[in-house]
Amino acid sequence: MPAPVGPLPDPLVYKIDVLVATHRFTSSNVLAINAKGQSTGAFDVNGRPIRVDSVKGVPLPLSTIYGFNGTFPGPRINAEYGKPVLVRFENHLDENPLNLDRQDFGTPDLSFLTHLHNGHTAPESDGNPHYSMRFGPRHHGYRPGMFVDNLYLNWPAGGDDREKQSFFWFHDHRMDHTGSNVYKGMVGLYPIYDPVLDPGDENAGLHLPGVRRDNPDGSFDVDYDIPLAIYDCRLDDGVTVHHDFHDPEFPSARGRTHPEWWGKTFFKHFPNHGFVGDIFTVNGTAYPTLKVKRRKYRLRFLDASIARIYEFKLMASTQGPKAAKDLGLTGDDLEGQYRIPDGQQCMKFLQIATDGGLVPLAFERDSFELWPAKRREFVVDFSVYQDGSPTTSGDLIYLTDVMRMPNGRMWSNSTRFSADPSYKVPVLRFEIDGNDRPPDRSDIAPGRQLRPLPLLPTNWKNMLDNRLIFEVKRGSIGGEVEWLINGMSFDPATAATSLRNLAGNTPSASQKKGSFNLWEIRNGGGGWVHPFHLHMEEHRTVMRNGKDVTVRPDPGHPDDISREDLTALDPGESVILYRGFRDFVGPYVAHCHNLAHEDHAMMFGWEIAP
Ligand SMILES: [Cu+2]
């Protein structure tokens, strides 16, 4: 039911500088290993070999980042429906007061473009290339010395309460270099609360876990409500020769080794399936410990990785994690660095939200997949195990990845596809802090009604024949335009055209403001998976692989019952999405969120016409 559009209050104003800065992935000492798991050498910042104690290791040097306010992840903005936010993003990437080595990735012209994923935002504040190349800076992004004021209205699509979401993030979207800029640190968090159902206060609304503290400047913090941004990276070993498609942009880096970059983030623009790292980090730290009280928490998961998909379980272990090299593992099996051989599931996740906000009914899961850019929110009760026994102070619970994904193409093993029970990589350790139980006034259980879905028109099947069809596929030309949509590489100047549909038409991806339509996204290549993201309104999946999933979701994709901004396409899958086009006019994009695919042209422009 659309609410009347009244005047919104003046926005809360934030300023975020895009800065060259340093980041520490761990304060622990490290031991470098080769693909056989054997200890290898290390180098200092001048590229001179240093002696490594094979037991104690050496400190990890700081990596150079391009970060929002100079941190990774960047700032967290807690937003609220009804209270607009204006963020001034200012480019200071030309300044380098610490004279840090910029290495060979990150946009060469130092421009940035920030997208609030997936804010319901006018095109000029959306930070997408289809707008920026035509109307915005008329460039790939905002260059040094420039700023942009992005207005985030915190307004649900159509003014409809059922369209409210709960967890955005903002990240770089600079055309052709999104992957390298995100990987270089341009990630920020933006949970969005709803004064009616989800105010960040477990005494109010739906009583979801969270204790709110309001600050004098209008901002607020919420205890027991924790975003977890997952990101995988590789670190330079000092002996690998740097060679990349983008060599001409980084002439000082090409064709040689960089011992002076030892231990700093290593990137390749064009591993043609997508880039995966072998060190797994949470909120910028590798293998961290999070102390938790014996009560319920809300955990907001975000996959901020370029291509890696995760499948998480909560596990207990008697023996604890072992270094993968000490288990005799080699090669790709060293990815993740640790294994937890005796890990056993000890807790379940109670899912409360997906990309599109709170789900209609809370539901329990043993594990869940997290695809790039996706958000999944869960309540976990750290006072009790799934068998009913209580937790005690000092207990350790491991957030464990059980999806083996040796390259950016797709997983080799997961619960859904040839599960490998020996693949258990601990990513984060929760430590129970104290035996007392702090007050917990939250009230949530499986089956609890959360946010109803917006209604689907009863005659939606009448729209099937004239739907828009987009097929995502690897092209034969290779290189910089390797990844195609409907056979075309991204053209930021025009709206894309559908493949011929059953009605015999090839409609343009130009939709009238206020309209709704069905869009089909087809995975046209057999061996890849694509996390496909559509800017603007969240969609509802109505069909998957030709089957109606509005009543019963596909067992492999239980999140299809919710609204999402990113659809998970297994090899050969197709989905049909019901989408709305309301409130704003102008150009937006849709693209694969495997950022290596996106940066190599797997994106198309579309628009909302008046
Ligand atoms: Cu893709």
Side-chain angles (χ1 to χ4, degrees), residues 273 408 472 483 528-532 591-598 602:
H273 300 309
V472 299
W483 298 100
W528 289 270
V529 299
H530 300 287
F532 202 84
H591 59 89
C592 185
H593 225 292
N594 176 327
L595 297 180
H597 296 186
E598 173 186 346
M602 193 173 252

Side-chain angles (χ1 to χ4, degrees), residues 7 16 82 156-157 215 224 238 254 275 278 293 421 485 578-579:
I16 293 180
N215 304 317
Y224 310 116
R254 81 171 97 172
F275 182 89
D278 54 7
K293 301 286 182 192
I485 293 173
Y578 180 72
R579 311 194 60 207

